[in-house]
Amino acid sequence: AQLPESGPGWQAMRLSRNRRWGHPETVAFVERLAGAAQALGWPSILVGDLAQPRGGPMTFGHASHQNGLDVDIWLRRPDGPLDAETRETLPFVSKVRPDRRGVADAFGPDHAALIETAARDRSVDRIFVNAAIKASLCRSAGADREWLRRVRPWWGHDQHFHVRLRCPADSPDCAGQAALPPGDGCDETLEWWFSDEALNPAPPPTPAPPRRDLTLADLPAACAALVGR
């Protein structure tokens, strides 16, 4: 299903990429989150990439977002409606300090509330954020912390958060990820993300081989039915 360019409480970004396609449950999630965001005081949310019209690997930008169950939500609060040109050119704004050890002043309670609202949605499997954002959420969360388990630290993700949905009931071929570990994730596993090993990883001992273009043979057999349609 295609997410419309705009709707009650959301505006899709980078329209020229044609990455506004996802499982119908993903579109429904965006609609629910947009309504909840307006109740929190957001005029609208800015929606980044979902997937391509028939899914599959993208030529740039993502290793995931292939099966229609992923969506990026910008952490930038729009001032109002955006025209098509602005949606193409509006820059990302990092919410993390340059040293990557804490959030910037631009990250506030409204951003934390939006992430929490998304994490509490019934269809969400996990959400990826920068480790500094995760640490900030750990400090500000109240006694009800179960939702924090679904917010996972990952490199990048300093100007948006990446939502991954659970396998829908009507998709029997969908294989879910491994179960999340117990706890809220605000423990020593989070501390590792601020170590020198994580912040400044050593270069690989040998250069990575050049990326080879994917062919149909590299993809699941079911993809063949979509070629030429």
Side-chain angles (χ1 to χ4, degrees):
Q2 186 179 36
L3 179 75
E5 293 182 7
S6 302
W10 85 80
Q11 302 182 72
M13 304 298 288
R14 307 300 193 250
L15 301 177
S16 64
R17 293 182 176 184
N18 195 24
R19 295 177 176 179
R20 291 184 288 117
W21 299 83
H23 189 281
E25 178 55 36
T26 308
V27 174
F29 164 78
V30 172
E31 294 170 345
R32 290 196 301 274
L33 181 62
Q38 286 188 311
L40 292 172
W42 286 71
S44 65
I45 56 173
L46 303 182
V47 182
D49 289 351
L50 281 74
Q52 298 177 124
R54 294 175 179 82
M58 299 180 182
T59 56
F60 68 93
H62 301 285
S64 56
H65 289 257
Q66 295 195 34
N67 63 3
L69 296 175
D70 299 270
V71 56
D72 288 340
I73 306 296
W74 286 32
L75 285 169
R76 179 163 186 163
R77 187 188 186 105
D79 295 327
L82 306 178
D83 60 27
E85 180 180 358
T86 303
R87 296 190 197 205
E88 294 292 337
T89 59
L90 189 71
F92 294 107
V93 176
S94 176
K95 304 300 181 182
V96 173
R97 297 193 325 235
D99 65 5
R100 294 169 290 164
R101 295 183 180 276
V103 293
D105 292 342
F107 185 83
D110 55 339
H111 302 102
L114 182 63
I115 297 172
E116 178 180 350
T117 298
R120 290 183 181 276
D121 189 275
R122 62 182 182 273
S123 65
V124 169
D125 182 77
R126 63 198 71 200
I127 292 175
F128 299 105
V129 299
N130 186 278
I133 293 176
K134 167 73 176 186
S136 177
L137 296 173
C138 288
R139 291 190 296 270
S140 64
D144 180 6
R145 304 172 67 85
E146 193 276 335
W147 61 274
L148 275 170
R149 186 164 68 98
R150 290 187 287 280
V151 181
R152 314 305 299 177
W154 199 249
W155 287 279
H157 297 87
D158 56 336
Q159 0 82 341
H160 73 279
F161 60 96
H162 175 168
V163 179
R164 177 164 295 160
L165 303 187
R166 296 189 180 97
C167 285
D170 64 353
S171 300
D173 293 331
C174 180
Q177 288 190 263
L180 294 170
D184 60 13
C186 302
D187 52 19
E188 65 277 359
T189 61
L190 180 58
E191 295 174 7
W192 176 83
W193 287 91
F194 302 100
S195 67
D196 188 63
E197 178 185 13
L199 293 176
N200 302 292
T206 57
R211 178 176 175 177
R212 179 177 63 85
D213 289 338
L214 293 172
T215 68
L216 187 60
D218 297 306
L219 303 179
C223 296
L226 302 176
V227 176
R229 290 176 59 183

